Amino acid sequence: MKKNPYAQDMTVITLKGSPIHTNGRLPAVGSQAPDFLLISTDLKPMSLKDYARKKLILAIVPSLDTGVCLTSAKQFEARLQNRSDIQVLFISADLPFAQKRVCGFENLKKIETLSMMRDRKFAEDYGVLLIDGPLQGIAARAVLALDENHQILYTELVPEIAQEPNYDKALTFFV
């Protein structure tokens, strides 16, 4: 039997009540956010350095093309409509073309979508890679708030994938 390399660090969450596991844990509050390389809707590689000196919300979701994920995008869009000092990065395994199509159809202009289409290193580094269950290989639902120096102010790994994150709590760090 093959040993699970993530066994020590995995976190149990649920998908409609059934347990599934992530590869690890979210980075600690107070730590520096791990750098990443994700793909924008114009297929440009983007790293954390591309958002230097910007306050960020990292909204990590399984797929923007699902009901709960789309609701989350709309919620962040509405709540941050008048906040030019905060950038929302909506990160999923969706292809950039699908992300762009959904955002265009839903008129989402405040959020910026980034794709893990080329690899899953981002999900691994942030401890949100689903390692079993029907969504294995994509990301769990999580939210991180980062200050302008990309220090982590807040994290939430949503315990049930079919639930929305706590928007108010994530945004209280940017009052």
Side-chain angles (χ1 to χ4, degrees):
M1 184 168 155
K2 186 177 174 186
K3 184 179 177 197
N4 182 339
Y6 304 117
Q8 303 169 312
D9 296 323
M10 56 185 173
T11 301
V12 179
I13 58 174
T14 59
L15 173 62
K16 297 182 181 175
S18 297
I20 55 176
H21 301 88
T22 68
N23 71 301
R25 302 188 190 294
L26 291 172
V29 170
S31 67
Q32 201 65 28
D35 199 8
F36 55 73
L37 191 60
L38 296 165
I39 307 303
S40 70
T41 56
D42 62 358
L43 302 178
K44 179 181 172 189
M46 301 295 288
S47 76
L48 195 55
K49 294 173 186 124
D50 292 309
Y51 303 96
R53 309 296 306 158
K54 291 187 180 181
K55 297 174 188 173
L56 299 173
I57 292 287
L58 304 183
I60 306 163
V61 300
S63 172
L64 184 58
D65 203 16
T66 64
V68 176
C69 298
L70 183 56
T71 297
S72 291
K74 290 177 179 180
Q75 284 291 323
F76 279 118
E77 177 88 9
R79 291 166 189 254
L80 294 170
Q81 195 62 43
N82 298 318
R83 297 288 304 264
S84 61
D85 61 322
I86 303 170
Q87 177 65 56
V88 178
L89 302 180
F90 222 78
I91 302 162
S92 72
D94 297 305
L95 290 175
F97 314 112
Q99 292 173 330
K100 187 174 185 176
R101 178 184 49 78
V102 170
C103 288
F105 184 75
E106 297 293 338
N107 200 30
L108 299 172
K109 297 182 183 332
K110 178 67 180 171
I111 67 167
E112 180 177 339
T113 57
L114 295 172
S115 173
M116 299 185 303
M117 74 175 213
R118 294 197 176 138
D119 69 40
R120 300 298 188 251
K121 184 169 179 0
F122 169 85
E124 289 173 354
D125 291 350
Y126 279 77
V128 296
L129 181 66
L130 295 174
I131 59 171
D132 57 14
L135 299 179
Q136 180 178 351
I138 62 176
R141 185 179 315 285
V143 175
L144 292 87
L146 311 180
D147 70 10
E148 62 277 359
N149 298 312
H150 301 154
Q151 182 176 358
I152 300 171
L153 304 172
Y154 170 80
T155 65
E156 177 188 8
L157 177 63
V158 180
E160 165 56 57
I161 288 182
Q163 293 176 345
E164 296 174 56
N166 187 334
Y167 308 105
D168 293 331
K169 200 164 183 185
L171 296 174
T172 59
F173 294 90
F174 301 122
V175 182

